[in-house]
Amino acid sequence: MRNNKLSYLIVLSFLVLSVASSCKKNTATPDPVVPVTTTAASGTRDELTKDSIYLYGKELYYWNTSLPTYDVFKPRSFSTNDAELYALTQYSLDPSTGKPYEFVNGSTSPKYSFFDNTITTGKKSVLKADLNGTANDYGFSVNYNATNDVRVKYVYENSPAATQGLTRGCRITSVNGRTNLTYNTTNIAYLNDAIFGSNASVSLTFTDLNGVSKSVVVTSGTYTENPIFFTKVYTVGTKKVGYIVFNSFTNNVSTALSSIFAGFATQGVTELIVDLRYNGGGFVSTATQLINLSAPASQTGNTMFTYYYNSYLQGLNSAQRKASVLTHQPLLDDAGKVQAFTSGVNGKYATYADLDYTVSSSDNIEKFAKSGSLNLSRIYFIVTGSTASASELTINSLRPVMDVKLIGETTYGKPVGFFPIRIDKVDMYIPEFETKNQAGVGGYYSGLTVDKEAFEDLSKVWGDETETLLSYALLYSKNGNFVTPAAKTGSLSANTTTMPNKLSSVERQSVALSLDQNNFSGMVKIPHKKF
């Protein structure tokens, strides 16, 4: 992702590929400006953008061999860019399901691919806060705890919602005057528009955890996102068990993570609970930091995971590199500057066409490098259907090297990731690589299955030992299994209050996908190659 400091305007410049079609893409970067020699191409700006979407997909898409030719696909025939992207992603079939890898039942949006409109500010930008750590919205999210029970599932500290007194567990009883919020498609659409849309403010009535009813107006505003919602150390018998609720792999959390894990080590933590129940992913670099903080020191130098690109990218020869669309995607340095590289493909500056995409390249093999002194005997991950991408990468990378337990629901299923492709006014994100751990395991397109299936209780605050998912982790730490004692014994019981009108498993999956669609789900790789 390119944040505001790194953003640059791009105009389409002409490029002919083997399909005998053209796209136009002219790139300018902030400092210095990079000139691109272009050849005029016929068509409107919108038509040329649609050409570019197809041509980038044809070269970079992980399942590119399934895509038809330009003449068959007819990119200019689509009414919108989004319609084209959806069509582009529905050719590649997952043999285990017989459906496209990017198929989502009842949706006309791909499971993985999307556009981010880089000139749009506020909550309409998909990547608004989930990656760069600065948000402009209300700062909270909701979900159904039961069919007639809408709860706040999290609130960012210092956000507009936090200043109005909202916390996890508050029950929403009215939204902009509507009191009937019972679970159905109409009300889900209403909540999406009222809370996650582009409105400047939302009027809420809610009951807090003390049973006090409050009416407030939450006005959208800018705040710094801290994705670490909660940390604590529990004493379980003679053990010290750490707990961290981590909501997104942003690029502003490195120092905080290191400090928290140092604190766990100081307090003698030997088991760790990492709560990723809403974490849709983010930067691979942040995921590798979390992995290295948790992994055994003995793994240092061993393979953590490997990137796999499509066969075309892996086999690029000199002529193909020079003809590649990637010659118009500058590879910036860590300061966001263009890297001069006269011996590169375009003879001026480093681009993504200069990278080595072969599996054996050291650039595509991530190695363990233990960080900190935390020595864990076991790690638990709390997960749901909203746990995706970089979160799943973290789990999959640790599974071969230590004792890992998963608690909750099957994860989203996204073993693929991307780097951003700028086309005119948008960044296009399509799966460009897959990752596999040191055991060669990947391909979890249907999600990672859990060791203990359980469903969260949104009426409980972070860290409450009786909250269903957390309690199962503490129970296992105590007893070595997930079997709930017949009689309640202290705060480590996994028993929970029976909920009336609970959502079915299908309904839970549906609402997780339907509500808060601006929430980022992805795994972004920003190469740090220096030229």
Side-chain angles (χ1 to χ4, degrees), residues 201-513:
S201 63
V202 61
S203 298
L204 302 173
T205 299
F206 64 92
T207 302
D208 67 18
L209 293 175
N210 294 318
V212 178
S213 180
K214 300 178 182 179
S215 295
V216 300
V217 175
V218 182
T219 301
S220 182
T222 301
Y223 61 96
T224 298
E225 175 188 309
N226 178 5
I228 301 172
F229 286 161
F230 184 83
T231 62
K232 187 173 180 178
V233 174
Y234 299 90
T235 299
V236 181
T238 59
K239 300 177 184 175
K240 294 292 184 180
V241 180
Y243 178 52
I244 178 171
V245 182
F246 193 43
N247 201 53
S248 183
F249 289 88
T250 60
N251 65 1
N252 67 336
V253 75
S254 178
T255 300
L257 277 178
S258 295
S259 176
I260 289 167
F261 274 70
F264 286 156
T266 299
Q267 295 178 73
V269 165
T270 57
E271 294 185 0
L272 179 65
I273 305 166
V274 182
D275 196 329
L276 302 174
R277 69 182 73 188
Y278 308 134
N279 194 320
F283 282 112
V284 171
S285 56
T286 305
T288 58
Q289 181 189 5
L290 180 58
I291 293 167
N292 281 319
L293 285 165
S294 306
S298 60
Q299 284 296 316
T300 294
N302 294 337
T303 297
M304 180 188 291
F305 60 85
T306 302
Y307 297 97
Y308 292 80
Y309 293 86
N310 67 42
S311 58
Y312 178 79
L313 288 177
Q314 289 190 44
L316 283 176
N317 58 38
S318 297
Q320 289 170 329
R321 287 183 186 277
K322 290 182 179 180
S324 171
V325 287
L326 290 174
T327 60
H328 300 290
Q329 297 293 326
L331 187 65
L332 306 182
D333 63 18
D334 290 341
K337 305 292 185 181
V338 172
Q339 301 185 71
F341 189 41
T342 57
S343 59
V345 172
N346 69 11
K348 303 169 186 176
Y349 53 91
T351 73
Y352 277 81
D354 294 307
L355 295 176
D356 186 345
Y357 295 97
T358 58
V359 174
S360 59
S361 169
S362 60
D363 293 338
N364 298 321
I365 302 174
E366 190 72 36
K367 300 281 190 178
F368 282 103
K370 174 64 178 177
S371 176
S373 58
L374 186 63
N375 184 17
L376 298 175
S377 61
R378 181 180 297 126
I379 188 166
Y380 308 85
F381 289 101
I382 292 177
V383 297
T384 68
S386 298
T387 305
S389 209
S391 289
E392 294 169 310
L393 172 68
T394 300
I395 296 166
N396 193 51
S397 297
L398 288 172
R399 269 182 159 176
V401 302
M402 62 187 301
D403 187 2
V404 174
K405 301 298 180 187
L406 268 61
I407 300 166
E409 301 174 79
T410 300
T411 64
Y412 185 74
K414 190 170 186 179
V416 290
F418 32 54
F419 49 80
I421 296 299
R422 178 65 60 84
I423 302 175
D424 197 20
K425 297 178 182 179
V426 301
D427 278 341
M428 181 171 75
Y429 291 82
I430 58 174
E432 292 144 350
F433 60 81
E434 180 180 7
T435 60
K436 297 181 182 181
N437 63 24
Q438 70 169 230
V441 175
Y444 40 85
Y445 293 100
S446 297
L448 298 171
T449 56
V450 296
D451 298 289
K452 175 61 184 178
E453 184 177 39
F455 312 112
E456 69 173 331
D457 182 356
L458 284 163
S459 69
K460 302 293 176 65
V461 298
W462 296 121
D464 186 327
E465 296 176 31
T466 65
E467 192 278 318
T468 311
L469 302 183
L470 173 60
S471 70
Y472 272 119
L474 295 173
L475 180 66
Y476 194 99
S477 180
K478 180 182 180 181
N479 299 330
N481 58 59
F482 294 114
V483 179
T484 307
K488 186 174 181 180
T489 55
S491 61
L492 296 183
S493 172
N495 295 325
T496 59
T497 303
T498 300
M499 299 290 180
N501 304 314
K502 291 192 296 183
L503 272 66
S504 69
S505 177
V506 173
E507 288 172 330
R508 277 193 303 272
Q509 293 175 6
S510 175
V511 75
L513 291 173

Side-chain angles (χ1 to χ4, degrees), residues 91-106:
Y91 287 95
S92 309
L93 300 182
D94 182 347
S96 67
T97 64
K99 296 180 179 180
Y101 285 99
E102 297 213 50
F103 173 79
V104 178
N105 189 35

Side-chain angles (χ1 to χ4, degrees), residues 32-69:
V33 173
V34 177
V36 175
T37 302
T38 63
T39 303
S42 61
T44 66
R45 184 171 187 170
D46 179 67
E47 288 173 334
L48 294 172
T49 295
K50 288 182 169 61
D51 285 351
S52 294
I53 292 168
Y54 168 79
L55 292 170
Y56 273 109
K58 187 66 174 173
E59 183 171 329
L60 307 180
Y61 195 46
Y62 189 59
W63 302 287
N64 65 334
T65 56
S66 65
L67 301 183
T69 64

